[in-house]
Amino acid sequence: MHARRAVPAVLLLAALTALWGYGRSSPEPQPAPGVRTGNGVAAQGGHVAELPGLGAATRGAVPAEARQAVVVTGEGPDSSRSSVRLYRRDPARGWMPEPLAGAGWPAHNGERGWSDHHVEGDLRSPVGVYGLTGAGGLLDDPGTRLPYDREAAFTIGGTGSLGEPLAGSFDYVVAIDYNREPGTTPLDRTRPLGAERGGGIWLHVDHNGPTQGCVSLTRPQMRELLLWLDPEQRPVIVMGDAAALLR
């Protein structure tokens, strides 16, 4: 018969500790620093995602209550080509890209590019942050939550600067609140800054060429945009050439 070995005290202590802890709830795992819990702050180090590609002045012009943003980034100050991205503000994480627009929708803007001081007939799109509070078009309302004005007055003919036909360009329209009364039909011609500062700046259907100051997207993209925009989210458009937006 073999003699029993003495159990080392350290092993005995470990076994008793394990038995004592069996069936008791373990401490709740603590979130990593900066990770939001139910009522915490946002990302790593308390950082909340900002709209990308914007400088401090441009970010500061975005209203605190805005929770949807259409960001139009021009290729250059004198370029008529741009890209459109959509963002939604998450209360926990900040501004998140909207998958709807993917890596960005190609767009056209004013024929001569962008301007910090748009005037009538300059063929440039105004740089800035503006509300999106009214819509309309020649076609029936696709189901947007914005006020929608269907009118025959959205009919357009003729050709653009490249000789492209303009017919159908105003099938769908979202008014950009530059020098206009917010919430009115896009056809309203009230100009708070005066007629010399231009107006009638819209998001509308692309006609495969530069605009006179508007921003244009394909018809399917305009329809998707109309369905996405929600006045309760206080949507805005942030628009300008890349360098201007970085200010």
Coordinates of all heavy atoms in Angstrom, one line a residue, residues 25-114:
S25 N -22.3 34.4 -9.9 CA -22.2 35.2 -11.1 C -20.9 35.9 -11.2 O -20.5 36.5 -10.2 CB -23.4 36.2 -11.2 OG -23.3 37.1 -10.1
S26 N -20.3 35.9 -12.4 CA -19.0 36.6 -12.5 C -19.3 38.1 -12.6 O -20.3 38.5 -13.1 CB -18.3 36.1 -13.8 OG -18.1 34.7 -13.7
P27 N -18.3 38.9 -12.3 CA -18.4 40.3 -12.5 C -18.8 40.6 -14.0 O -18.3 40.0 -14.9 CB -17.1 40.9 -12.1 CG -16.4 39.8 -11.3 CD -17.0 38.5 -11.8
E28 N -19.7 41.7 -14.2 CA -20.0 42.0 -15.6 C -18.8 42.6 -16.2 O -18.0 43.4 -15.7 CB -21.1 43.2 -15.5 CG -22.5 42.7 -15.1 CD -23.1 41.7 -16.1 OE1 -22.9 41.9 -17.3 OE2 -23.7 40.7 -15.7
P29 N -18.6 42.2 -17.5 CA -17.4 42.7 -18.3 C -17.6 44.2 -18.4 O -18.7 44.7 -18.7 CB -17.5 42.0 -19.6 CG -18.9 41.5 -19.7 CD -19.4 41.2 -18.3
Q30 N -16.5 44.9 -18.2 CA -16.5 46.4 -18.4 C -16.2 46.8 -19.8 O -15.3 46.2 -20.4 CB -15.5 47.0 -17.4 CG -15.8 46.7 -16.0 CD -17.2 47.3 -15.6 OE1 -17.5 48.5 -15.8 NE2 -18.1 46.5 -15.0
P31 N -16.9 47.8 -20.3 CA -16.6 48.2 -21.7 C -15.2 48.8 -21.8 O -14.7 49.4 -20.8 CB -17.7 49.3 -22.0 CG -18.1 49.7 -20.6 CD -18.0 48.6 -19.7
A32 N -14.6 48.6 -22.9 CA -13.3 49.3 -23.2 C -13.5 50.8 -23.1 O -14.5 51.3 -23.4 CB -12.7 48.8 -24.5
P33 N -12.4 51.5 -22.8 CA -12.5 52.9 -22.7 C -13.0 53.5 -24.0 O -12.5 53.2 -25.0 CB -11.0 53.4 -22.4 CG -10.4 52.1 -21.8 CD -11.1 51.0 -22.4
G34 N -14.0 54.4 -23.8 CA -14.5 55.1 -25.0 C -15.6 54.4 -25.7 O -16.2 55.0 -26.6
V35 N -15.9 53.1 -25.5 CA -16.9 52.4 -26.2 C -18.3 52.7 -25.5 O -18.4 52.6 -24.3 CB -16.6 50.9 -26.2 CG1 -17.8 50.2 -26.8 CG2 -15.4 50.6 -26.9
R36 N -19.2 53.1 -26.3 CA -20.5 53.5 -25.8 C -21.3 52.4 -25.2 O -21.4 51.3 -25.7 CB -21.4 54.1 -26.9 CG -22.7 54.6 -26.4 CD -23.5 55.2 -27.5 NE -24.9 55.5 -27.0 CZ -25.2 56.7 -26.4 NH1 -24.3 57.6 -26.2 NH2 -26.4 56.9 -26.0
T37 N -21.8 52.6 -24.0 CA -22.8 51.7 -23.4 C -24.2 52.4 -23.6 O -24.3 53.3 -24.4 CB -22.5 51.5 -21.9 OG1 -22.5 52.8 -21.3 CG2 -21.2 50.8 -21.7
G38 N -25.2 51.9 -22.9 CA -26.5 52.4 -23.1 C -26.6 53.9 -23.1 O -27.4 54.5 -23.8
N39 N -25.9 54.5 -22.1 CA -26.1 56.0 -22.0 C -24.7 56.6 -22.0 O -24.5 57.7 -21.4 CB -26.8 56.3 -20.7 CG -26.2 55.7 -19.5 OD1 -25.2 55.0 -19.6 ND2 -26.8 56.0 -18.3
G40 N -23.7 56.0 -22.6 CA -22.3 56.5 -22.6 C -22.1 57.5 -23.7 O -23.0 58.0 -24.3
V41 N -20.8 57.8 -23.9 CA -20.4 58.7 -25.0 C -20.2 57.9 -26.2 O -20.8 56.9 -26.4 CB -19.2 59.5 -24.5 CG1 -19.0 60.7 -25.5 CG2 -19.4 60.0 -23.1
A42 N -19.3 58.3 -27.1 CA -19.1 57.5 -28.3 C -17.8 56.8 -28.4 O -17.3 56.3 -27.5 CB -19.4 58.4 -29.5
A43 N -17.2 56.9 -29.5 CA -16.1 56.1 -29.9 C -14.8 56.2 -29.1 O -14.9 56.8 -28.0 CB -15.7 56.3 -31.4
Q44 N -13.7 55.6 -29.5 CA -12.5 55.6 -28.8 C -12.1 57.0 -28.3 O -12.1 57.9 -29.0 CB -11.4 55.0 -29.6 CG -10.0 54.9 -28.9 CD -10.1 53.9 -27.8 OE1 -10.8 52.9 -27.9 NE2 -9.3 54.1 -26.8
G45 N -11.9 57.1 -27.0 CA -11.4 58.3 -26.4 C -12.5 59.4 -26.4 O -12.3 60.5 -26.2
G46 N -13.8 58.9 -26.5 CA -14.9 59.9 -26.5 C -15.1 60.6 -27.8 O -15.8 61.6 -27.9
H47 N -14.4 60.2 -28.9 CA -14.4 60.8 -30.2 C -15.7 60.5 -30.9 O -16.1 59.4 -30.9 CB -13.2 60.4 -31.0 CG -13.3 60.8 -32.4 ND1 -13.1 62.2 -32.8 CD2 -13.6 60.2 -33.6 CE1 -13.2 62.3 -34.1 NE2 -13.6 61.1 -34.6
V48 N -16.3 61.5 -31.4 CA -17.6 61.4 -32.2 C -17.2 61.7 -33.7 O -16.6 62.7 -34.0 CB -18.7 62.3 -31.7 CG1 -19.9 62.2 -32.6 CG2 -19.1 62.0 -30.3
A49 N -17.6 60.8 -34.6 CA -17.2 61.0 -36.0 C -17.8 62.3 -36.6 O -19.0 62.5 -36.5 CB -17.7 59.8 -36.8
E50 N -16.9 63.0 -37.2 CA -17.3 64.2 -37.9 C -17.6 63.9 -39.4 O -17.2 62.9 -39.9 CB -16.3 65.3 -37.8 CG -15.9 65.7 -36.4 CD -17.0 66.7 -35.8 OE1 -18.0 67.0 -36.5 OE2 -16.8 67.1 -34.6
L51 N -18.2 64.9 -40.1 CA -18.4 64.7 -41.6 C -17.0 64.8 -42.2 O -16.3 65.8 -41.9 CB -19.3 65.8 -42.1 CG -20.8 65.7 -41.8 CD1 -21.5 66.9 -42.2 CD2 -21.3 64.5 -42.6
P52 N -16.6 63.8 -42.9 CA -15.2 63.9 -43.5 C -15.0 64.9 -44.6 O -16.0 65.3 -45.3 CB -15.0 62.4 -44.1 CG -16.4 62.0 -44.4 CD -17.3 62.6 -43.3
G53 N -13.8 65.4 -44.7 CA -13.5 66.3 -45.8 C -13.8 67.7 -45.5 O -13.8 68.6 -46.4
L54 N -14.2 68.0 -44.3 CA -14.6 69.4 -43.9 C -13.7 70.0 -42.9 O -13.2 69.3 -42.0 CB -16.0 69.4 -43.3 CG -17.2 68.7 -44.1 CD1 -18.5 69.0 -43.4 CD2 -17.2 69.2 -45.6
G55 N -13.4 71.3 -43.1 CA -12.6 72.0 -42.1 C -13.5 72.6 -41.0 O -14.7 72.4 -41.0
A56 N -12.9 73.2 -40.0 CA -13.6 73.7 -38.8 C -14.7 74.6 -39.2 O -15.8 74.6 -38.6 CB -12.6 74.3 -37.9
A57 N -14.4 75.6 -40.1 CA -15.5 76.6 -40.4 C -16.7 75.9 -41.1 O -17.8 76.3 -40.7 CB -14.9 77.7 -41.3
T58 N -16.4 75.0 -42.0 CA -17.5 74.4 -42.7 C -18.3 73.5 -41.7 O -19.6 73.5 -41.7 CB -17.0 73.5 -43.8 OG1 -16.2 74.3 -44.7 CG2 -18.2 73.0 -44.6
R59 N -17.6 72.7 -40.9 CA -18.3 71.9 -39.9 C -19.1 72.7 -38.9 O -20.2 72.4 -38.5 CB -17.3 71.1 -39.0 CG -16.7 69.9 -39.8 CD -16.0 68.9 -38.8 NE -15.1 69.6 -37.9 CZ -13.8 69.7 -38.0 NH1 -13.3 69.3 -39.2 NH2 -13.1 70.3 -37.1
G60 N -18.6 73.9 -38.6 CA -19.3 74.8 -37.6 C -20.6 75.4 -38.2 O -21.5 75.8 -37.5
A61 N -20.7 75.4 -39.6 CA -21.9 75.9 -40.2 C -23.0 74.9 -40.3 O -24.1 75.2 -40.7 CB -21.5 76.4 -41.6
V62 N -22.7 73.6 -40.0 CA -23.7 72.6 -40.0 C -24.6 72.7 -38.7 O -24.0 72.6 -37.6 CB -23.1 71.2 -40.1 CG1 -24.2 70.1 -40.1 CG2 -22.3 71.0 -41.4
P63 N -25.9 72.9 -38.8 CA -26.7 73.1 -37.6 C -26.6 71.9 -36.7 O -26.6 70.7 -37.2 CB -28.1 73.3 -38.2 CG -27.9 73.7 -39.6 CD -26.7 73.0 -40.1
A64 N -26.7 72.2 -35.4 CA -26.6 71.1 -34.4 C -27.8 70.1 -34.6 O -27.6 68.9 -34.3 CB -26.5 71.7 -33.0
E65 N -28.9 70.6 -35.0 CA -30.1 69.7 -35.1 C -30.1 68.9 -36.4 O -31.0 68.0 -36.6 CB -31.4 70.6 -35.0 CG -31.6 71.5 -36.2 CD -31.0 72.9 -36.0 OE1 -30.1 73.0 -35.1 OE2 -31.4 73.9 -36.7
A66 N -29.2 69.2 -37.4 CA -29.2 68.4 -38.6 C -28.7 67.0 -38.3 O -27.7 66.7 -37.7 CB -28.2 69.0 -39.6
R67 N -29.5 66.0 -38.9 CA -29.2 64.6 -38.7 C -29.1 63.8 -40.0 O -28.9 62.6 -40.0 CB -30.2 63.9 -37.8 CG -30.2 64.5 -36.4 CD -31.1 63.8 -35.4 NE -32.5 63.8 -35.7 CZ -33.3 64.9 -35.4 NH1 -32.8 65.9 -34.8 NH2 -34.6 64.8 -35.7
Q68 N -29.3 64.6 -41.1 CA -29.0 64.0 -42.5 C -28.2 65.1 -43.2 O -28.5 66.3 -43.1 CB -30.3 63.7 -43.2 CG -31.0 62.5 -42.8 CD -32.3 62.3 -43.7 OE1 -32.9 63.2 -44.2 NE2 -32.6 61.0 -43.9
A69 N -27.2 64.6 -43.9 CA -26.3 65.5 -44.7 C -26.0 65.0 -46.1 O -25.7 63.8 -46.2 CB -25.0 65.8 -44.0
V70 N -26.2 65.8 -47.1 CA -25.8 65.5 -48.5 C -24.5 66.3 -48.7 O -24.6 67.5 -48.7 CB -26.9 65.9 -49.5 CG1 -26.4 65.6 -50.9 CG2 -28.2 65.2 -49.1
V71 N -23.4 65.6 -48.9 CA -22.1 66.3 -49.1 C -21.7 66.3 -50.5 O -21.5 65.2 -51.1 CB -21.0 65.7 -48.1 CG1 -19.7 66.4 -48.4 CG2 -21.5 65.8 -46.7
V72 N -21.6 67.4 -51.1 CA -21.2 67.5 -52.6 C -19.8 68.1 -52.6 O -19.6 69.2 -52.2 CB -22.2 68.4 -53.3 CG1 -21.8 68.5 -54.8 CG2 -23.6 68.0 -53.1
T73 N -18.9 67.3 -53.1 CA -17.5 67.7 -53.1 C -17.0 67.9 -54.6 O -17.0 66.9 -55.3 CB -16.6 66.6 -52.4 OG1 -17.1 66.4 -51.1 CG2 -15.1 67.1 -52.4
G74 N -16.7 69.1 -55.0 CA -16.3 69.4 -56.3 C -14.9 69.0 -56.6 O -14.0 69.1 -55.6
E75 N -14.6 68.6 -57.8 CA -13.2 68.2 -58.1 C -12.2 69.4 -58.1 O -11.0 69.2 -57.9 CB -13.2 67.6 -59.5 CG -13.9 66.2 -59.5 CD -13.8 65.5 -60.9 OE1 -13.1 66.1 -61.8 OE2 -14.3 64.4 -61.0
G76 N -12.7 70.6 -58.3 CA -11.9 71.8 -58.2 C -12.7 73.0 -58.3 O -13.9 73.0 -58.6
P77 N -12.1 74.2 -58.0 CA -12.9 75.4 -57.9 C -13.5 75.8 -59.3 O -14.5 76.5 -59.3 CB -11.9 76.5 -57.4 CG -10.6 75.9 -57.7 CD -10.7 74.4 -57.6
D78 N -12.9 75.4 -60.4 CA -13.4 75.7 -61.7 C -14.0 74.5 -62.4 O -14.2 74.5 -63.6 CB -12.3 76.4 -62.5 CG -11.8 77.6 -61.9 OD1 -12.6 78.4 -61.3 OD2 -10.6 77.8 -61.9
S79 N -14.2 73.4 -61.7 CA -14.6 72.1 -62.3 C -16.1 72.0 -62.2 O -16.7 72.4 -61.2 CB -14.0 70.9 -61.7 OG -14.5 69.7 -62.2
S80 N -16.7 71.4 -63.2 CA -18.2 71.2 -63.2 C -18.5 69.7 -62.8 O -19.7 69.3 -62.8 CB -18.8 71.4 -64.6 OG -18.2 70.5 -65.5
R81 N -17.5 69.0 -62.3 CA -17.7 67.6 -61.9 C -17.6 67.5 -60.3 O -16.7 68.1 -59.8 CB -16.8 66.7 -62.6 CG -17.1 66.6 -64.1 CD -16.2 65.5 -64.7 NE -16.5 65.4 -66.2 CZ -17.5 64.6 -66.7 NH1 -18.3 63.9 -65.8 NH2 -17.7 64.6 -67.9
S82 N -18.4 66.7 -59.7 CA -18.3 66.5 -58.3 C -18.8 65.2 -57.9 O -19.2 64.3 -58.7 CB -19.2 67.6 -57.6 OG -20.5 67.7 -58.2
S83 N -18.8 64.9 -56.6 CA -19.2 63.6 -56.1 C -20.2 63.9 -54.9 O -19.9 64.8 -54.1 CB -18.0 62.8 -55.6 OG -18.4 61.6 -55.0
V84 N -21.2 63.1 -54.8 CA -22.2 63.2 -53.7 C -22.2 62.0 -52.8 O -22.3 60.9 -53.2 CB -23.6 63.4 -54.3 CG1 -24.7 63.4 -53.2 CG2 -23.7 64.7 -55.1
R85 N -22.1 62.3 -51.5 CA -22.2 61.3 -50.5 C -23.2 61.7 -49.4 O -23.5 62.8 -49.2 CB -20.8 61.1 -49.8 CG -19.8 60.4 -50.7 CD -18.4 60.4 -50.1 NE -17.4 59.7 -50.9 CZ -16.8 60.2 -51.9 NH1 -17.0 61.4 -52.3 NH2 -15.9 59.4 -52.6
L86 N -23.8 60.6 -48.9 CA -24.9 60.8 -47.9 C -24.4 60.4 -46.5 O -23.8 59.4 -46.4 CB -26.2 60.1 -48.3 CG -26.7 60.3 -49.7 CD1 -27.9 59.4 -49.9 CD2 -27.0 61.7 -50.0
Y87 N -24.9 61.1 -45.5 CA -24.5 60.8 -44.1 C -25.7 61.0 -43.2 O -26.5 61.8 -43.4 CB -23.3 61.7 -43.6 CG -22.1 61.5 -44.4 CD1 -21.8 62.2 -45.5 CD2 -21.1 60.6 -43.9 CE1 -20.6 62.1 -46.3 CE2 -19.9 60.4 -44.7 CZ -19.7 61.1 -45.8 OH -18.6 61.0 -46.5
R88 N -25.7 60.1 -42.2 CA -26.7 60.2 -41.1 C -26.0 60.4 -39.8 O -25.1 59.6 -39.5 CB -27.6 59.0 -41.1 CG -28.8 59.0 -40.2 CD -29.5 57.7 -40.2 NE -30.1 57.4 -41.4 CZ -31.3 57.8 -41.9 NH1 -32.0 58.6 -41.1 NH2 -31.8 57.5 -43.0
R89 N -26.5 61.3 -38.9 CA -25.9 61.5 -37.6 C -26.5 60.5 -36.6 O -27.7 60.5 -36.3 CB -26.1 62.9 -37.2 CG -25.1 63.3 -36.0 CD -25.6 64.5 -35.2 NE -25.8 65.7 -35.9 CZ -25.0 66.8 -35.9 NH1 -23.9 66.7 -35.1 NH2 -25.2 67.9 -36.5
D90 N -25.6 59.7 -36.1 CA -26.0 58.7 -35.1 C -25.7 59.4 -33.7 O -24.7 59.9 -33.5 CB -25.1 57.4 -35.2 CG -25.5 56.4 -34.2 OD1 -25.0 56.5 -33.0 OD2 -26.3 55.5 -34.5
P91 N -26.7 59.3 -32.8 CA -26.5 60.0 -31.5 C -25.3 59.5 -30.7 O -24.7 60.2 -29.9 CB -27.8 59.8 -30.8 CG -28.5 58.6 -31.5 CD -28.0 58.7 -32.9
A92 N -24.9 58.2 -31.0 CA -23.8 57.6 -30.3 C -22.5 57.8 -31.0 O -21.5 58.2 -30.4 CB -24.0 56.1 -30.1
R93 N -22.5 57.6 -32.3 CA -21.2 57.6 -33.0 C -20.9 58.8 -33.8 O -19.8 58.9 -34.4 CB -21.2 56.3 -33.9 CG -21.3 55.0 -33.1 CD -21.3 53.8 -34.1 NE -22.6 53.8 -34.8 CZ -22.9 53.0 -35.9 NH1 -21.9 52.2 -36.3 NH2 -24.0 53.1 -36.5
G94 N -21.9 59.7 -34.0 CA -21.6 60.8 -34.9 C -22.1 60.6 -36.3 O -23.0 59.8 -36.5
W95 N -21.4 61.2 -37.2 CA -21.8 61.1 -38.7 C -21.4 59.8 -39.3 O -20.2 59.6 -39.4 CB -21.3 62.3 -39.4 CG -22.0 63.6 -39.1 CD1 -21.5 64.6 -38.3 CD2 -23.3 64.0 -39.6 NE1 -22.5 65.6 -38.3 CE2 -23.6 65.3 -39.0 CE3 -24.2 63.4 -40.4 CZ2 -24.7 66.0 -39.3 CZ3 -25.4 64.1 -40.7 CH2 -25.7 65.4 -40.1
M96 N -22.3 59.0 -39.8 CA -22.0 57.7 -40.4 C -22.4 57.8 -41.9 O -23.4 58.3 -42.2 CB -22.8 56.6 -39.7 CG -22.5 56.4 -38.2 SD -20.9 55.6 -38.0 CE -19.9 57.0 -37.4
P97 N -21.6 57.2 -42.7 CA -21.9 57.2 -44.2 C -23.1 56.3 -44.4 O -23.3 55.3 -43.8 CB -20.7 56.6 -44.8 CG -20.0 55.9 -43.7 CD -20.3 56.6 -42.5
E98 N -24.0 56.8 -45.3 CA -25.2 56.1 -45.7 C -24.8 55.1 -46.8 O -24.4 55.5 -47.9 CB -26.3 57.1 -46.2 CG -27.6 56.5 -46.4 CD -28.3 55.9 -45.2 OE1 -28.3 56.6 -44.2 OE2 -28.7 54.7 -45.2
P99 N -25.0 53.8 -46.7 CA -24.7 52.8 -47.7 C -25.4 53.1 -49.0 O -24.9 52.7 -50.1 CB -25.1 51.5 -47.1 CG -25.1 51.7 -45.6 CD -25.5 53.1 -45.4
L100 N -26.5 53.8 -49.0 CA -27.3 54.0 -50.2 C -26.4 54.6 -51.3 O -26.6 54.2 -52.5 CB -28.4 55.0 -49.8 CG -29.3 55.5 -51.0 CD1 -30.1 54.3 -51.5 CD2 -30.3 56.6 -50.5
A101 N -25.6 55.6 -51.0 CA -24.8 56.2 -52.0 C -23.4 55.6 -52.2 O -22.6 56.0 -53.1 CB -24.5 57.7 -51.6
G102 N -23.1 54.4 -51.5 CA -21.9 53.7 -51.8 C -20.7 54.6 -51.6 O -20.6 55.4 -50.6
A103 N -19.7 54.5 -52.5 CA -18.5 55.3 -52.4 C -18.7 56.7 -52.9 O -17.8 57.5 -53.0 CB -17.4 54.6 -53.2
G104 N -19.9 57.0 -53.4 CA -20.2 58.4 -53.9 C -20.9 58.3 -55.2 O -20.6 57.5 -56.1
W105 N -21.9 59.2 -55.4 CA -22.6 59.3 -56.7 C -21.9 60.4 -57.6 O -21.7 61.5 -57.1 CB -24.0 59.7 -56.5 CG -24.9 58.7 -56.0 CD1 -24.8 57.3 -56.1 CD2 -26.1 58.9 -55.2 NE1 -25.8 56.7 -55.4 CE2 -26.7 57.6 -54.9 CE3 -26.8 60.0 -54.8 CZ2 -27.8 57.5 -54.2 CZ3 -28.0 59.9 -54.0 CH2 -28.5 58.6 -53.8
P106 N -21.5 60.1 -58.8 CA -20.9 61.2 -59.6 C -22.0 62.2 -60.0 O -23.2 61.9 -60.1 CB -20.5 60.4 -60.9 CG -21.3 59.2 -60.9 CD -21.6 58.8 -59.5
A107 N -21.6 63.5 -60.0 CA -22.6 64.5 -60.2 C -22.0 65.6 -61.1 O -20.8 65.7 -61.3 CB -23.0 65.1 -58.8
H108 N -22.9 66.5 -61.5 CA -22.5 67.8 -62.2 C -22.8 68.9 -61.3 O -23.8 68.9 -60.6 CB -23.1 67.9 -63.6 CG -22.5 67.1 -64.6 ND1 -23.0 65.9 -65.1 CD2 -21.3 67.3 -65.3 CE1 -22.3 65.4 -66.1 NE2 -21.2 66.2 -66.2
N109 N -22.0 70.0 -61.4 CA -22.4 71.2 -60.7 C -22.3 72.4 -61.8 O -22.3 72.1 -63.0 CB -21.5 71.5 -59.5 CG -20.0 71.3 -59.8 OD1 -19.5 70.3 -59.6 ND2 -19.4 72.4 -60.2
G110 N -22.1 73.6 -61.3 CA -22.1 74.7 -62.2 C -21.0 74.6 -63.3 O -19.9 74.1 -63.0
E111 N -21.3 75.1 -64.5 CA -20.4 75.0 -65.6 C -19.0 75.5 -65.3 O -18.0 75.0 -65.7 CB -21.0 75.7 -66.8 CG -20.1 75.6 -68.1 CD -20.8 76.4 -69.2 OE1 -22.0 76.7 -69.1 OE2 -20.1 76.6 -70.2
R112 N -18.9 76.6 -64.6 CA -17.7 77.3 -64.3 C -17.1 76.9 -62.9 O -16.1 77.5 -62.4 CB -17.8 78.8 -64.4 CG -18.1 79.2 -65.8 CD -18.2 80.7 -66.0 NE -18.5 81.2 -67.3 CZ -18.9 82.4 -67.7 NH1 -19.0 83.3 -66.7 NH2 -19.2 82.7 -68.9
G113 N -17.8 76.0 -62.2 CA -17.3 75.6 -60.9 C -18.1 76.1 -59.8 O -19.3 76.1 -59.7
W114 N -17.3 76.7 -58.8 CA -17.9 77.1 -57.5 C -17.6 78.6 -57.2 O -16.7 79.2 -57.7 CB -17.3 76.2 -56.4 CG -17.7 74.8 -56.6 CD1 -16.9 73.9 -57.3 CD2 -18.8 74.1 -56.1 NE1 -17.5 72.7 -57.3 CE2 -18.7 72.8 -56.6 CE3 -19.9 74.5 -55.4 CZ2 -19.7 71.8 -56.3 CZ3 -20.9 73.5 -55.1 CH2 -20.8 72.2 -55.6

